[in-house]
Structure formats: structure tokens, C-alpha cells
Amino acid sequence: IKTKGVFNGLKATVGGIDFHFGTGGIHGSVSSQFVQATDEWLIRDIDVASLYPSIAVVNKLRPKHLGEAFSVEYEGLLIERRTHKKGTVENASLKLAANGTYGNSNSKFSVFYDPKFTMTITVNGQLMLCMLAEMLLEVPTLQFIEINTDGITYHIHRDYEPKAKEICEIWE
């Protein structure tokens, strides 16, 4: 349940880049490269919407001291957010409420404080993104550009984009 300094130096090389694991998420990037999209080569960004709140909702995770009502209301934030267009004040405020609730689970001054809840979600999020990365490595020509807490960016030949998209849908 420690949330600071636990994973110092923990990394794995995947698809040619180092994935660095931490208590806040996963990060990695190509180094000293210029990557450009063309008519034949695409750059695609997979950004998982509300990844950490979604992990909590789908897996019925909640701070130990809070009851099932937390899970119901937390899911309600995500459902309500989807009814508002991205870029609207309503969408942004619901995103902040969902992400802020997760973030506050690591604040001892918050009613949501539960380090085990925080780390269960963070570690599982990293492992899930690693699973996606592993699946994507099966696609010819795909090269990772970066991985971050809630997504992956890659470079791919146009002919193989449908296969990569299919894999993302399976992962979802």
C-alpha cells in the first residue's frame, strides 16, 4: 500500500522502448527520433478515456471504508460524462470529478483516502496497457512512439492500421 518511491528503477524494454513503471503510472518514449506521418505511414494515439475511474467501476473497486453506494455514484459520473460532448464545460467538470476522486484516494486529507485502492488501480492500469502493447507487437510495421499512464502512441503502415484497430477493440 506504499504509494511513493516503491518502483524506483523498474523498467522493461518493449517494442524497442523502455517502459518505466511507477506508483503514478507507466511512461516510455522513443529517444532522439523524428517521427512523421505521411500518406503511407500513420501516427495513431490510443487514449483510454477515464482509465483509472473505469478500472474502479468495471472491477467494482472502491475505498475499503466506503460502501456500494460509492461504486454506484462513481459509475454515474462516467455515464453522465458520456452524455456530454468532449470539450464542453459539463464534460470537463465530470472528468475532473471522476479523476479527482481517484486522485484523492491517495490524499490522507480526503474522505476517499485508501492507498490500497489507489495502488490496485494504478498497477492494474499499467499491466493492462502492457497487455495491449504486447498484443500490438503482433502487427507488422507497428512501432511504438510512446506509452503513458492512459495510452499508447504508435507509427504504422496504412495497410496494417485495420489490424491494429481490431486488436484495440479486442483489448477494450
Side-chain angles (χ1 to χ4, degrees), residues 46-126:
I46 302 164
D47 179 58
V48 184
S50 299
L51 177 63
Y52 286 175
S54 295
I55 290 170
V57 168
V58 169
N59 294 289
K60 303 197 183 319
L61 301 172
R62 60 180 177 262
K64 187 175 182 177
H65 60 283
L66 298 177
E68 192 169 324
F70 170 86
S71 296
V72 171
E73 294 303 320
Y74 203 34
E75 181 176 18
L77 286 174
L78 300 182
I79 292 168
E80 176 69 17
R81 181 177 175 214
R82 288 191 290 263
T83 68
H84 301 282
K85 283 187 171 185
K86 197 171 187 176
T88 64
V89 172
E90 294 84 0
N91 184 287
S93 64
L94 291 163
K95 176 181 181 178
L96 181 61
N99 290 338
T101 299
Y102 164 76
N104 281 331
S105 71
N106 196 31
S107 169
K108 63 183 177 181
F109 303 106
S110 172
V111 68
F112 303 116
Y113 182 62
D114 182 347
K116 185 175 180 183
F117 171 79
T118 305
M119 294 310 301
T120 298
I121 292 170
T122 303
V123 171
N124 276 285
Q126 291 178 62

